Amino acid sequence: MAKLWGGRFQKSAEAWVDEFGASIGFDQQLVMEDIEGSVAHVTMLGETGILPAEDVTKILDGLAQLKVKAEADELEFSVANEDIHLNLEKMLIDLIGPVGGKLHTGRSRNDQVATDMHLFLKKRVPEVIGLIENFQKTIVTQAEQHVETIAPGYTHLQRAQPVSFAHHLMVYFWQLQRDKERFTESMKRIDILPLGAGAMAGTTFPIDRLKSAELLGFADVYANSMDAVSDRDFIVEFLSNSALLMTHLSRFAEEIIIWSTDEFKFIELDDAFSTGSSIMPQKKNPDMAELIRGKTGRAFGNLVGLLTVLKGTPLTYNKDMQEDKEGMFDTMETVLGSLKIFEGMVRTMTVNTARLHGAVHSDFSNATELADYLATKGMPFREAHEVTGKLVYTCIQKGIYLLDLPLEEMKKESELLEEDIYDVLAPEAAVRRRNSLGGTGFEQVKIQLQKAKELL
Ligand code: ARG
């Protein structure tokens, strides 16, 4: 089949060579963006008088027909036409005749493809932001039910200090808040239009780039035509923001998985978000959480992949850049899917409050309370730490916890210890008293939740 760019060629590439160079297999996902960009471009060509009105009308009519077919999934793409741009242009010409060939006036596939990518992210990054926010709301709803649920807080995955379970859950709210801010901020750079840059140097036609920007709803146009066709930073940024978002989801997933074990049993996932084993009838596996943790790998891979593609490319457009697409599509699908699943998983999970209660009553995570108690009574903290450590050791020898240790045993280490130490050692008190700004004290957690709700 004759190529749209075939004029200077004496022979055609063989089909298998074409196949290697073609992107239609994946860039057909940009069909709507490509049509939208063409509609704006040809409208602008009409308004500036570059094309006569009757040609513009015919082209717009043809594009409208293609759009209807695209929506009905009726377009038949061919590898011989390489990519989405040439496929659509060829279809347009087949549909309305040679006048369709006027669409590409003052335009190149280089500014066209960059435009499509900007349009793609301009439409979908807000979807990501919306899903993040939805998930944040679910986290707040769960947290509000567990302000006074005491849970072990960990460092080194060793029991550290008791905390409000809401305080723990809300960490993920704040991580997502930063993700949301990053995606929102990145919109500023997505919202710049490359169209009109031509192949790279601009065009001799008296085009109106601002008109195209207005028609497509872009806030600005690239100031440098060479930058416009060679920039893929906005995609790298999307992949980078996504990689960090997935890191957060993966950390949360890891906790969900640990909490679901028989060893922890802090939560139970809903059946609707769990799977069984084909051999072990008792199993209920947190597959969705594991899958999100696993999919984080591809999000990282897509980021590193594009950075690597770009690092050696001279200005301006190089075919290497065709490799920007699959990773972006894949990361978009991964992020949207993971956010939806995670939200459902957290919304429907059951928190095992009895188990959490039991956990904080059978550990040494209240040891800091004892040291703080002694320090409050004037003992240097370092000494208080030592005394407490000895009492912990005594308990371990006896197979009991600090709350079980009789006062006379305590007094052997320090006379400063009085009967009221038992109130101080109660895990609920330990949490309640951590009322420093941003701490886990119930009052602080309520303030935090209030602040979070204001942000939503
Ligand atoms: N399929 C190409 C891509 O995705 C479109 C731009 C091609 N431009 C060119 N001069 N070959 O990058």
Side-chain angles (χ1 to χ4, degrees), residues 23 27 82-83 85 109-110 113 317 319 321-322 325:
S23 53
D27 68 10
E82 200 177 324
D83 58 24
H85 325 295
R109 275 187 294 158
N110 297 350
V113 70
Y317 177 84
K319 185 79 165 182
M321 287 169 179
Q322 184 163 289
K325 286 171 199 61

Side-chain angles (χ1 to χ4, degrees), residues 314-380:
L315 297 179
T316 52
Y317 177 84
N318 302 271
K319 185 79 165 182
D320 311 45
M321 287 169 179
Q322 184 163 289
E323 288 293 309
D324 62 359
K325 286 171 199 61
E326 285 157 292
M328 182 186 73
F329 294 144
D330 181 70
T331 289
M332 184 57 81
E333 196 182 319
T334 300
V335 160
L336 293 175
S338 301
L339 283 167
K340 270 188 221 155
I341 291 284
F342 221 133
E343 187 279 326
M345 199 162 59
V346 170
R347 179 165 35 79
T348 56
M349 74 183 188
T350 314
V351 178
N352 190 343
T353 49
R355 179 82 179 178
L356 289 169
H357 183 86
V360 286
H361 284 86
S362 48
D363 68 11
F364 289 99
S365 63
N366 53 356
T368 314
E369 311 317 302
L370 205 148
D372 282 356
Y373 174 97
L374 292 170
T376 310
K377 292 202 168 183
M379 186 185 282

